Amino acid sequence: MTAPSKAGHRLLFRNVRIFDGVAATVVSGDVLIDGETIAGVSQSPIGDDPSRETTVIDGGNRVLMPGMSDAHVHLVGNANSYMDMVMGSEAHIALNGLAEAKNMLHRGFTTVRDMAGDTSSIKSVIDRGLFEGPRIYPSQAAISQTSGHGDFGFVYECPTALGGKQSRAEEIGFMRVADGPERVLAAVREQLKKGASQIKMMVGGGAASMYDPLYTVQFTDPELRAAVNAATDYGTYVATHVYNVTGIRRAIDAGVKSIEHGHLADEATIALMAEKDIWLSMQPFALGDHHYPDPSRAEKDREICTGTDDVYSWARKHGVKTAWGTDLLLEPQIAPRQSEMAARLGDHYSNVDALRMLTSGNAELFRLAGERDPYRQAPLGVITEGAWADVLLVDGNPLEDLDLLADPGKSLRVIVKNGQVVKDTL
């Protein structure tokens, strides 16, 4: 990613109410975008520059807010069905992912953190301006132990650690199965080599996988510490898929920085996360968000969903740094539920806290990638001078009605990403 432009095409929003991603209220004013970044935010009218080409958008007293972010997407997994992933060519899978990237941007998601999948090439195409899509923080392949949450090999196949061939999920770069500290170390370094900005580890059971009940604890202490050390050496961090208490605590002890999910935690563990300054990257799951073809996985999904309310309540009580994401997977037809789940965050937080999480809050988590952060040259998720020019003009006030976010086709009148207008229905 190149440094932000010092000068370029100017885009001036006049007559808008500004939610800057942080403050609890909106402020009336103008916002000037110059090239890829925000050049000015003022409560007084910003003057024209006759020597520069400037597009002026009259916001009509609508709310201008930062572009939203999703801290837990599976871009290729979300865009492809199970049969696509099993039977489709890698080009088919990647192109579906590229198309879904455009859809996400047009829902108002200007930045996403991808938590499993070969997305570095998709990211490159988007960053070069060749195709519409959000900024992507790729994890590349998620790393799993044999019989763990990311092991999608069939039960009759010999594990790779015992000389067997890679599963289809490994062949397409969606997962990497690694057992023992040395193989885990190599797997982490492999993802960094392929462009990962952070590392994703599977540390407990999950609903989508076939072999691992939710109570299982995955990866030993030495394996987890090997992953953390390798990521730290590259200036970044490890995020861990895990629901249960034992797995969360093992991950914290090993030095991970982000717990993905955590729906089966108890209050003491959530309090420990606050004490240790560990991020909770959680999803407002509800029954019906995912569909599973067998009773075992459907029951795991039900158990996960029952923990949502309590964990959000404890996170608020103890002041845990909480990010928001969706984790939709293998059902392309429900991809638009991403917007509904953003609005659903209002069931657990005030509207302003929900909007902060969707903008500046998630961005704070993304910044843990340090030197691996591909967009570190400018602030993200805020409307302030010098920040990336990713903004949404909303028909209505989401601080008063968060449900506006559930219908982006109607409520998002203008979408700007990287200083470029990608939607304008005014």
Side-chain angles (χ1 to χ4, degrees):
M1 192 71 188
T2 58
S5 300
K6 299 301 181 185
H9 178 77
R10 284 165 42 110
L11 179 62
L12 178 59
F13 282 93
R14 291 200 185 281
N15 189 25
V16 292
R17 291 177 291 159
I18 304 160
F19 169 65
D20 66 2
V22 179
T25 58
V26 295
V27 176
S28 296
D30 289 0
V31 174
L32 175 65
I33 292 170
D34 193 342
E36 300 171 334
T37 56
I38 295 171
V41 180
S42 176
Q43 292 180 251
S44 301
I46 295 176
D48 293 327
D49 182 349
S51 68
R52 301 282 304 284
E53 179 186 1
T54 303
T55 299
V56 178
I57 296 178
D58 186 335
N61 205 36
R62 296 176 176 88
V63 170
L64 190 74
M65 62 174 282
M68 295 183 292
S69 56
D70 189 329
H72 196 119
V73 302
H74 299 291
L75 195 55
V76 296
N78 195 18
N80 290 277
S81 68
Y82 178 80
M83 291 305 297
D84 287 327
M85 299 288 267
V86 172
M87 302 295 293
S89 68
E90 291 187 45
H92 173 88
I93 292 168
L95 289 172
N96 279 345
L98 187 60
E100 178 56 24
K102 180 178 179 179
N103 293 338
M104 285 188 182
L105 178 60
H106 281 255
R107 293 184 206 117
F109 294 94
T110 54
T111 304
V112 299
R113 188 178 61 145
D114 192 277
M115 299 310 286
D118 187 6
T119 57
S120 61
S121 294
I122 295 175
K123 173 186 178 299
S124 175
V125 169
I126 292 170
D127 283 351
R128 285 183 286 149
L130 303 178
F131 203 86
E132 291 182 354
R135 304 178 190 275
I136 299 175
Y137 284 79
S139 300
Q140 292 300 106
I143 301 170
S144 169
Q145 67 173 41
T146 297
S147 78
H149 183 57
D151 183 356
F152 287 92
F154 294 112
V155 70
Y156 53 79
E157 294 176 323
C158 182
T160 53
L162 301 178
K165 297 174 63 175
Q166 292 181 0
S167 69
R168 171 64 173 170
E170 292 186 87
E171 289 176 345
I172 62 175
F174 193 55
M175 299 290 166
R176 169 62 75 207
V177 176
D179 297 290
E182 290 188 1
R183 290 195 177 204
V184 168
L185 195 63
V188 171
R189 289 170 174 167
E190 176 191 32
Q191 307 324 309
L192 293 167
K193 178 181 178 181
K194 291 182 175 182
S197 54
Q198 64 283 319
I199 297 298
K200 168 78 174 296
M201 300 281 291
M202 306 299 202
V203 184
S209 44
M210 297 177 283
Y211 311 126
D212 54 340
L214 293 175
Y215 64 78
T216 59
V217 183
Q218 300 172 17
F219 285 123
T220 63
D221 289 335
E223 289 171 322
L224 284 174
R225 292 182 189 279
V228 169
N229 288 341
T232 302
D233 285 347
Y234 265 69
T236 187
Y237 68 101
V238 172
T240 52
H241 160 105
V242 60
Y243 291 102
N244 63 62
V245 167
T246 304
I248 293 171
R249 287 177 175 265
R250 179 179 290 185
I252 292 171
D253 287 344
V256 308
K257 299 298 184 184
S258 175
I259 300 298
E260 306 297 313
H261 314 313
H263 292 67
L264 303 182
D266 58 20
E267 184 174 0
T269 301
I270 296 299
L272 177 66
M273 292 180 63
E275 177 187 335
K276 298 289 187 179
D277 201 29
I278 306 298
W279 277 86
L280 174 65
S281 174
M282 194 170 164
Q283 305 74 38
F285 285 149
L287 288 174
D289 285 339
H290 301 89
H291 303 91
Y292 297 103
D294 58 277
S296 175
R297 282 183 282 179
E299 174 58 25
K300 289 195 287 184
D301 180 56
R302 185 203 63 78
E303 186 177 350
I304 289 166
C305 291
T306 60
T308 301
D309 289 344
D310 282 342
V311 173
Y312 270 131
S313 175
W314 295 327
R316 292 195 311 269
K317 176 181 176 180
H318 294 284
V320 175
K321 290 183 178 179
T322 306
W324 172 88
T326 50
D327 193 33
L328 298 173
L329 186 65
L330 300 178
E331 295 182 89
Q333 70 276 11
I334 66 169
R337 191 165 294 167
Q338 182 181 37
S339 299
E340 299 172 24
M341 292 177 72
R344 193 188 301 164
L345 194 55
D347 295 343
H348 308 280
Y349 290 86
S350 68
N351 288 355
V352 67
D353 284 341
L355 287 167
R356 285 170 178 155
M357 199 180 299
L358 289 162
T359 55
S360 62
N362 276 356
E364 186 181 348
L365 169 60
F366 302 160
R367 291 307 193 200
L368 293 183
E371 290 298 311
R372 298 292 293 183
D373 181 348
Y375 310 109
R376 62 187 178 277
Q377 300 92 338
L380 190 67
V382 291
I383 296 180
T384 188
E385 186 174 339
W388 290 116
D390 304 339
V391 299
L392 313 174
L393 187 66
V394 186
D395 203 355
N397 186 352
L399 287 120
E400 298 173 354
D401 183 7
L402 200 65
D403 285 339
L404 290 168
L405 303 181
D407 190 0
K410 179 180 179 181
S411 63
L412 301 185
R413 301 300 301 274
V414 179
I415 298 174
V416 175
K417 184 244 175 172
N418 210 38
Q420 299 294 315
V421 177
V422 298
K423 176 185 176 181
D424 182 356
T425 62
L426 286 179

